[in-house]
Amino acid sequence: MAVDIGGLTLKNPVMPASGTFGYGEEYAPFLDINRIGAVVTKGLSLKPKAGNPTPRIAETISGMLNAIGLQNVGVEDFIKFKLPFLRELTTPVIVNFFGNTLEEYGEVAARLSEIPEVAAVELNISCPNVKKGGIVFGTDPKAAHEAVSVVRRNLSKPLMVKLTPNVTDITVIARAVEEAGADSISCINTITGMAVDIKTRRPRLANRTGGLSGPAIRPVALRMVHQVVQAVKIPVIGVGGIVRPMDAIEFLIVGARAVQVGTANFVDPASMITIIEGIEQFLIEEGLKDIHQLIGSLEL
Amino acid sequence: MKNYKTIILSNQEISPGYYRMRLLTPGFSESARPGQFLMMRVQQSLPPLLRRPFGIFRTGFLPADCDGMPPKEYTEILYKVVGRGTNIMADLHRGDKVEVLGPLGRGFDVGDPGEEKILVGGGIGLVPLYMLAESLSARSKVRLLMGGRNRDDILAVTEFERLGVETYVSTDDGSLGEEGLVTQVLERKLDKFPSSSVYACGPMPMLDAVYRICHRRQVPLQVSLEALMACGVGACLGCVVKGAGHAEDNPRYLCTCKQGPVFRAEQLDWSRLGEEPGYCEGCKS
Ligand SMILES: Cc1cc2nc3c(=O)[nH]c(=O)nc-3n(C[C@H](O)[C@H](O)[C@H](O)COP(=O)(O)OP(=O)(O)OC[C@H]3O[C@@H](n4cnc5c(N)ncnc54)[C@H](O)[C@@H]3O)c2cc1C
Ligand SMILES: Cc1cc2nc3c(=O)[nH]c(=O)nc-3n(C[C@H](O)[C@H](O)[C@H](O)COP(=O)(O)O)c2cc1C
Ligand code: FES
């Protein structure tokens, strides 16, 4: 079940999606965290970030909208208060982060480089709230290239870059990111959406729009992972709507080297364990000795 | 804290639109504290996608069966049917499977045994007050002020009375107890027993009024809040409320599921809490 995702070896290909597993400790009572491939933490920024006004979440059919606004404790409090728990884990820790400016991206990367317990980082260039000159970093190939380059220069660890689906052609961004030095790509982040309370005629999120996640987005995510796998040589991590083992297997078949499980953690905190066991079972049933026989086995 | 894959022992309509569900939860009662809640997955298939939060009404033991089965430990919730999830719940029967995550959150601080306690419940907001009354009534004088729109909203009052709690009922339409708002009763009780401390749970406008009364009289108040929740464990940060000292340029959000749902009144920013938009619309209680 072991896979390599751009310089980082995981004992199995299943990890949480950033922002849906807190800093790990929130879910410690409900599953053996050391059994999952890695822990991915809530998006960090240089300074603490308060997030958006409420209501921040709304449920829709098979998906949820969120506009949390990247509330987080900031790098220094992360090191002081969250790292002690993560340090005790045997499974690798991947820290998701973002910056408000290019300089900030570089600064956070440099700070995270110094921390031995951080096995790899995941760079979020897909945050809808973070803009450079009016352009979200992740939606413009030049801005994406620039952000990844700055991080690359300041970082001595494996670098995973997380892409937004809110673009016309995701392969353009994927190639820009690869060229700028990313070791792997995770896709997708949430899809911008909206919901309205028909009685009050007000948006159901204070932010008006939010990011859609959950089973509702899986076909979109799968399509985009498929496209990105064709477009780049670096490993791709599939994210979006994975709930059951068969969902994860679909992503592996189209060529994802690993997967991240997000909203499903809220529904069933042990879902990642079920997914790991389900993939193992599937390999046995299909008579496959190595997960790499499954990865990218899509017949066209 | 645990995820219980469990079964329903009973599920009955106790008043029009209100149900009481009893779940088999071995080991739950040792850890459940008054004011805590659980997250229920109402069915295995999706949708609904997310779990629903419910206060823990009480825990207990069913006596051993005559066929030699050991006593069964159960947890009870009371819920109002409002939307998709609770509609599904209302159709569940004895023996049906559900999943509950719990007990979650921070409960009530039971405070000083010497002082008198006033519990204020609005509609389904009565739920977290029962276990509280259980643990308080052994040590303090406890009064329950229970309010609702009409008689259908008044639940489980006799159970509180059985604990030795003095109960006062008020309804907006006077169909049960006295006519008027529960906050009017609160004012009168505080005139008579000014050194009481107050515990409240109910719709936001009611809590807001209770806060203003208690604040004016310098009476200690704890409130149990509702918020939209996705995870219930502090991971998603979807359930936050504004904390005391909150400002646009100095935001202070508190996590309702982890730092609450029970807060001391002074922890919160009450300036706009009463008019918070969202789920509370057309209030469920
Ligand atoms: C800590 C806590 C304790 C609660 N205790 C009780 C209780 O003991 N009895 C009871 O009847 N109700 C209680 N509620 C409210 C209850 O969770 C909602 O009524 C229920 O989730 C509605 O689900 P639905 O699918 O029927 O409604 P829908 O309107 O279809 O729900 C849509 C979405 O909104 C969420 N939601 C809707 N209303 C609320 C609300 N008031 N609070 C939080 N989320 C909401 C749902 O979880 C769901 O994700 C509590 C809420 C919280 C936060
Ligand atoms: C509540 C919530 C918070 C999130 N926070 C972050 C974040 O901080 N950083 C990030 O890169 N992605 C964040 N995401 C996006 C997820 O990591 C993931 O890409 C998305 O939810 C799709 O996967 P899913 O359908 O399995 O949930 C968040 C998603 C949710 C639902
Ligand atoms: S419900 Fe997820 S943090 Fe409170």
Side-chain angles (χ1 to χ4, degrees):
Chain A
M1 288 281 275
V3 294
D4 178 283
I5 51 163
L8 177 68
T9 304
L10 309 179
K11 61 181 167 295
N12 67 61
V14 181
M15 64 189 112
S18 174
T20 65
F21 205 63
Y23 299 97
E25 58 192 335
E26 292 84 351
Y27 276 105
F30 305 108
L31 76 164
D32 177 0
I33 297 185
N34 288 321
R35 282 189 63 194
I36 60 181
V39 168
V40 183
T41 55
K42 171 75 193 161
L44 269 189
S45 49
L46 190 59
K47 296 268 143 52
K49 198 163 181 317
N52 289 331
T54 55
R56 291 178 170 187
I57 50 180
E59 196 188 65
T60 67
I61 290 281
S62 299
M64 68 177 270
L65 285 166
N66 91 79
I68 306 299
L70 293 172
Q71 177 175 342
N72 78 91
V73 297
V75 174
E76 296 312 321
D77 273 9
F78 170 77
I79 294 169
K80 231 189 282 168
F81 300 114
K82 306 298 175 183
L83 208 55
F85 170 82
L86 295 165
R87 188 177 283 145
E88 301 302 318
L89 299 175
T90 55
T91 205
V93 174
I94 301 175
V95 173
N96 177 291
F97 78 101
F98 64 96
N100 287 308
T101 58
L102 270 184
E103 294 67 41
E104 241 181 77
Y105 271 106
E107 251 181 275
V108 187
R111 189 73 180 94
L112 292 175
S113 274
E114 298 165 4
I115 306 166
E117 293 88 348
V118 177
V121 301
E122 181 180 50
L123 170 63
N124 180 5
I125 54 167
S126 40
C127 176
N129 309 313
V130 183
K131 295 188 177 78
K132 190 212 175 202
I135 305 169
V136 183
F137 282 101
T139 57
D140 176 63
K142 262 171 71 189
H145 190 284
E146 228 180 326
V148 175
S149 304
V150 168
V151 169
R152 182 74 287 172
R153 279 200 294 280
N154 286 281
L155 184 82
S156 54
K157 294 176 190 289
L159 170 60
M160 184 192 299
V161 179
K162 185 163 178 183
L163 302 188
T164 173
N166 304 314
V167 293
T168 316
D169 184 355
I170 197 166
T171 61
V172 178
I173 312 283
R175 276 193 290 264
V177 157
E178 178 180 42
E179 198 186 288
D183 298 307
S184 64
I185 286 174
S186 47
C187 72
I188 59 176
N189 210 309
T190 54
I191 302 176
T192 308
M194 187 172 175
V196 170
D197 182 323
I198 61 167
K199 285 271 169 57
T200 62
R201 303 191 183 184
R202 283 167 37 180
R204 279 168 62 198
L205 296 175
N207 203 43
R208 297 190 195 162
T209 61
L212 184 65
S213 65
I217 72 168
R218 191 169 56 239
V220 178
L222 192 68
R223 182 263 293 178
M224 289 190 154
V225 168
H226 172 61
Q227 288 177 312
V228 172
V229 165
Q230 311 295 313
V232 298
K233 293 191 185 66
I234 52 178
V236 177
I237 292 95
V239 200
I242 297 172
V243 175
R244 304 158 299 175
M246 61 181 284
D247 307 334
I249 293 166
E250 262 193 289
F251 278 88
L252 296 173
I253 289 174
V254 302
R257 192 77 63 87
V259 294
Q260 295 182 349
V261 177
T263 305
N265 294 311
F266 305 153
V267 181
D268 177 6
S271 53
M272 285 188 283
I273 304 295
T274 311
I275 290 169
I276 293 165
E277 288 170 353
I279 298 172
E280 277 167 352
Q281 185 62 33
F282 185 75
L283 293 179
I284 295 169
E285 280 166 16
E286 296 286 306
L288 304 174
K289 296 207 168 48
D290 185 337
I291 192 159
H292 292 89
Q293 294 173 276
L294 187 64
I295 294 169
S297 61
L298 183 71
E299 305 269 351
L300 287 171
Chain B
M1 259 189 287
K2 200 177 132 181
N3 184 30
Y4 289 83
K5 297 189 175 177
T6 188
I7 60 158
I8 292 169
L9 295 171
S10 62
N11 185 31
Q12 281 164 341
E13 190 162 21
I14 50 167
S15 180
Y18 292 95
Y19 285 72
R20 174 195 290 251
M21 185 185 279
R22 198 177 263 192
L23 301 156
L24 188 67
T25 50
F28 202 85
S29 56
E30 282 160 31
S31 48
R33 300 276 167 274
Q36 287 191 301
F37 69 101
L38 50 80
M39 294 286 284
M40 170 169 313
R41 188 173 182 190
V42 301
Q43 63 180 359
Q44 281 304 305
S45 61
L46 308 171
L49 180 64
L50 299 172
R51 291 184 184 230
R52 272 46 178 157
F54 295 97
I56 297 166
F57 179 64
R58 57 185 285 190
T59 60
F61 286 90
L62 288 180
D65 278 348
C66 43
D67 56 6
M69 293 293 281
K72 289 197 184 83
E73 198 171 336
Y74 67 82
T75 300
E76 233 168 61
I77 61 168
L78 298 187
Y79 62 95
K80 182 174 184 178
V81 176
V82 294
R84 192 160 10 155
T86 44
N87 265 298
I88 292 171
M89 285 167 65
D91 282 338
L92 297 175
H93 299 284
R94 180 189 169 86
D96 285 344
K97 290 182 185 142
V98 286
E99 274 184 49
V100 291
L101 210 60
L104 301 169
R106 293 237 301 244
F108 292 102
D109 178 350
V110 292
D112 177 357
E115 71 195 355
E116 300 188 288
K117 317 284 187 185
I118 297 180
L119 317 188
V120 186
I124 200 72
L126 165 114
V127 170
L129 302 178
Y130 185 81
M131 276 178 76
L132 178 67
E134 257 183 335
S135 60
L136 291 177
S137 57
R139 325 183 306 153
S140 312
K141 174 74 194 164
V142 182
R143 297 182 174 84
L144 171 72
L145 321 185
M146 180 55 206
R149 292 225 171 108
N150 59 51
R151 61 181 312 138
D152 295 347
D153 297 335
I154 306 300
L155 312 168
V157 167
T158 47
E159 274 157 278
F160 282 84
E161 285 170 343
R162 242 177 268 144
L163 294 174
V165 171
E166 235 173 83
T167 61
Y168 303 85
V169 171
S170 61
T171 49
D172 296 0
D173 67 355
S175 54
L176 196 69
E178 72 172 77
E179 184 176 329
L181 296 173
V182 70
T183 43
Q184 294 161 346
V185 188
L186 176 63
E187 295 258 29
R188 281 206 311 273
K189 291 298 163 210
L190 285 172
D191 286 342
K192 251 170 113 180
F193 313 105
S195 59
S196 303
S197 64
V198 177
Y199 299 80
C201 183
M204 212 50 236
M206 180 203 103
L207 291 184
D208 193 49
V210 169
Y211 166 73
R212 278 184 275 115
I213 293 166
C214 292
H215 184 66
R216 194 167 1 100
R217 297 172 183 251
Q218 304 268 303
V219 169
L221 166 67
Q222 291 176 47
V223 293
S224 177
L225 296 186
E226 285 187 13
L228 291 168
M229 293 184 177
C231 72
V233 300
C236 73
L237 306 177
C239 65
V240 298
V241 285
K242 292 180 187 134
H246 176 96
E248 282 300 298
D249 53 358
N250 179 28
R252 290 193 189 160
Y253 286 114
L254 298 170
C255 206
T256 306
C257 70
K258 190 101 190 199
Q259 291 161 293
V262 178
F263 294 98
R264 283 175 289 108
E266 55 276 17
Q267 287 178 275
L268 302 170
D269 170 14
W270 289 90
S271 60
R272 296 199 55 209
L273 215 55
E275 42 183 287
E276 280 286 292
Y279 61 87
C280 211
E281 227 75 50
C283 255
K284 317 214 154 177
S285 308

